[in-house]
Amino acid sequence: MINSEPEDVKPTEGGNSRSDSEKSYGSFDSRTPQDQWSQHFSEITEEEPLLEVHYSIHGTVSTRQSLMYLVKANLGIAILAVPCAFHFGGIILGPLGMIGIGITAVLCFNMISVSGDKLCRELGRSKIDYAEIVELAFENGSNPIIRNLSKAGHTAINVLVTMGQLGNCSAYFLFLTGTLQDVLQQFQVYLSFTECILIMFIPVLCFGMVTNLNWLSRVSLLFNVVYLGSVVVIAAYLFTIIKDPFRLPYIAGINTLPLYFGSSIFCIESIGCIIPIKNKMRHPEKFAWVLNSATIFMFAMLISFGFIGYSVYGQDIQSSITYNLPLTPLFDAIHIGLAMSVFASYSVQIFPIVDIILPKIIVRLPGQKRWKLDVGLRLGLVTVTFLAALIVPELALFLDLIGAIVSSSLALIFPPLVYDCVLYMESSEWTRYRVFIRICAVLLVVGGVFGGITSAGVAITEIVRQWGSR
């Protein structure tokens, strides 16, 4: 029932294959940023370890590597912020809600994966990306409104993934600024947020101009090890000072529950990585086990870390638990190690956005030299993420905005719609299973839309309030 045939593809001058629609200006590349990013690593051997959480998959990867990639992609900076999310939800509702989100994540992740498999079989293709899954599924849906939104769905996925990348980079800016403030206080140097973020702008800008991906990848690998080691040390320290958790509110106030939704949903913003990882696996038939194992392990880590962190610091918990740590030489070293890891990650995550936007600029300005356009674009991207961090100086609120707008759409709204359309493609008969999926789809879409709008509204209101009180 697929009515969308694969486009004829002609090799470009550099030897890559790309359709005419992908080369035209004014529309998004039909590949997701993750798939574009993976091309940068084509010269790296497949036996090397995975180098970076976001978009660094190269060649054909093993099952073990895919598992590691998914776990690191989902944790990232979220594990440091999840105790604050529990503060928004409560000591009982926080973990229970995270369990519910974890179950929903497993369901939605598998919906996208299975939908991709079914569409590949129908099209006779070996792989497909997230945006194509949405477009092709919508084209063959049962509802004419959904069918008319197929192209818009394709564009929306790429826009949302790009917004998520820019949002992550801005969140990294905030984390670096907060860390700089804490470290300087150890030396009796007290600077304002604005002064610290202005100081951070220059080194981040310089690092963002680096185009040697092999070097950046190896630097990121080194600091990923430092990052994981730092998280282990923090967890061990929290265990030694854990307090009675039931002294804290079981369920937080109604005003903070929307913030809990956005902050928690942010933990599954990496759903856009799922299809590219699967496409690069040596044994894609094992992906279901990899996906479920990684998701269960990731949520077990998040729930444990969030529960312990919130139990220790209670109402004093800050947007990143690192801001609560004592100012000692050990934790100063951890601050610096985490900051360097995030610093390296920022530079690597600039590349997918460049890959999306730069070809459009080159087509629009053919007389300009590529390196000049590249430098100008990178300068613009770093400046945009800097300004976004300056406008929203609270890390918790920024993560909530990303979760409410990007993660709720990519992880809650689109997967059930896509899966329902794919089931209709196979058979228009209303079986019990299809009725069950339709009910789940309605609940997830309504919940995602309501939760996303409410969470974003509360976050924006709080941001405006903080600006007014300055």
Side-chain angles (χ1 to χ4, degrees):
M1 296 179 64
I2 296 286
N3 56 24
S4 178
E5 296 296 330
E7 298 181 13
D8 294 332
V9 179
K10 297 178 181 180
T12 62
E13 203 173 342
N16 296 327
S17 294
R18 185 172 294 190
S19 64
D20 291 337
S21 64
E22 292 172 336
K23 294 184 286 186
S24 63
Y25 176 78
S27 62
F28 277 89
D29 195 321
S30 66
R31 301 169 299 163
T32 60
Q34 294 92 328
D35 281 343
Q36 298 179 50
W37 182 229
S38 65
Q39 288 190 357
H40 284 299
F41 291 86
S42 58
E43 71 269 16
I44 303 177
T45 62
E46 73 176 58
E47 296 303 322
E48 293 187 32
L50 291 170
L51 301 174
E52 173 52 35
V53 180
H54 299 282
Y55 314 111
S56 68
I57 305 177
H58 52 273
T60 302
V61 298
S62 68
T63 302
R64 177 183 58 83
Q65 288 175 320
S66 301
L67 180 63
M68 292 170 56
Y69 186 95
L70 269 177
V71 169
K72 185 65 169 65
N74 279 284
L75 290 178
I77 199 174
I79 195 170
L80 301 176
V82 75
C84 184
F86 281 21
H87 165 64
F88 292 142
I91 197 63
I92 297 297
L93 180 61
L96 291 180
M98 190 67 78
I99 291 172
I101 291 174
I103 294 172
T104 304
V106 171
L107 176 65
C108 291
F109 289 177
N110 280 280
M111 282 181 175
I112 287 296
S113 178
V114 171
S115 297
D117 289 340
K118 293 178 183 292
L119 288 169
C120 281
R121 285 197 295 268
E122 289 283 346
L123 291 169
R125 294 171 58 175
S126 60
K127 57 185 178 181
I128 190 172
D129 64 37
Y130 195 173
E132 290 175 322
I133 290 173
V134 171
E135 180 179 358
L136 294 174
F138 279 16
E139 281 181 356
N140 296 275
S142 59
N143 192 308
I145 297 177
I146 292 290
R147 291 197 294 269
N148 292 333
L149 292 175
S150 60
K151 296 295 183 183
H154 185 136
T155 301
I157 293 297
N158 284 327
V159 170
L160 287 167
V161 172
T162 303
M163 287 176 59
Q165 281 301 109
L166 287 172
N168 282 335
C169 289
S170 296
Y172 286 178
F173 237 126
L174 290 173
F175 180 81
L176 290 169
T177 302
T179 301
L180 177 62
Q181 281 184 298
D182 282 353
V183 172
L184 289 178
Q185 287 178 17
Q186 183 73 359
F187 300 96
Q188 305 300 313
V189 178
Y190 300 94
L191 298 179
S192 68
F193 169 83
T194 303
E195 291 170 330
C196 285
I197 198 170
L198 286 171
I199 292 173
M200 289 305 309
F201 178 74
I202 299 302
V204 170
L205 176 62
C206 294
F207 217 60
M209 295 296 173
V210 177
T211 59
N212 188 325
L213 283 166
N214 285 338
W215 180 79
L216 280 178
S217 302
R218 286 159 175 78
V219 169
S220 296
L221 174 61
L222 171 64
F223 284 113
N224 281 343
V225 175
V226 174
Y227 178 91
L228 294 175
S230 300
V231 170
V232 170
V233 172
I234 293 172
Y237 169 74
L238 294 177
F239 267 115
T240 64
I241 59 172
I242 191 169
K243 302 176 183 178
D244 177 20
F246 298 107
R247 77 188 191 281
L248 300 169
Y250 291 0
I251 300 177
I254 190 69
N255 293 333
T256 62
L257 290 181
L259 296 176
Y260 169 72
F261 174 85
S263 301
S264 300
I265 280 294
F266 173 79
C267 297
I268 55 175
E269 61 89 22
S270 63
I271 187 172
C273 295
I274 288 175
I275 299 302
I277 292 175
K278 185 176 183 179
N279 288 342
K280 293 294 180 178
M281 282 187 67
R282 186 179 300 132
H283 301 289
E285 68 277 3
K286 297 181 180 180
F287 183 71
W289 176 86
V290 169
L291 178 60
N292 295 333
S293 300
T295 306
I296 292 171
F297 175 77
M298 180 264 293
F299 273 94
M301 289 280 293
L302 289 172
I303 293 169
S304 302
F305 199 84
F307 184 84
I308 296 169
Y310 182 42
S311 298
V312 170
Y313 295 109
Q315 303 299 95
D316 296 325
I317 192 70
Q318 297 192 44
S319 54
S320 171
I321 198 169
T322 55
Y323 303 158
N324 288 100
L325 297 175
L327 298 177
T328 64
L330 171 62
F331 288 110
D332 282 344
I334 288 177
H335 273 104
I336 295 171
L338 289 171
M340 293 302 296
S341 176
V342 169
F343 191 74
S345 297
Y346 180 99
S347 301
V348 178
Q349 290 198 47
I350 284 291
F351 278 89
I353 314 172
V354 172
D355 283 345
I356 295 173
I357 302 175
L358 185 58
K360 321 299 180 186
I361 298 177
I362 291 175
V363 172
R364 188 69 178 268
L365 301 171
Q368 299 294 323
K369 293 184 178 180
R370 181 186 178 93
W371 72 268
K372 291 183 178 180
L373 297 176
D374 192 359
V375 170
L377 177 59
R378 288 171 183 274
L379 173 62
L381 290 174
V382 175
T383 303
V384 166
T385 58
F386 163 77
L387 293 175
L390 191 62
I391 294 171
V392 188
E394 177 61 43
L395 180 61
L397 294 177
F398 205 98
L399 296 183
D400 178 78
L401 271 180
I402 299 173
I405 298 173
V406 177
S407 302
S408 62
S409 300
L410 293 177
L412 294 183
I413 297 174
F414 279 102
L417 290 176
V418 166
Y419 192 61
D420 182 70
C421 292
V422 170
L423 289 180
Y424 175 77
M425 288 166 50
E426 293 185 322
S427 173
S428 59
E429 182 181 352
W430 282 96
T431 62
R432 290 182 179 180
Y433 179 69
R434 191 172 167 221
V435 172
F436 171 74
I437 292 298
R438 174 61 64 88
I439 294 172
C440 289
V442 171
L443 292 176
L444 287 172
V445 171
V446 171
V449 172
F450 176 77
I453 292 175
T454 305
S455 182
V458 171
I460 292 172
T461 302
E462 184 63 21
I463 292 167
V464 172
R465 187 192 66 79
Q466 289 186 5
W467 266 94
S469 62
R470 285 188 174 185

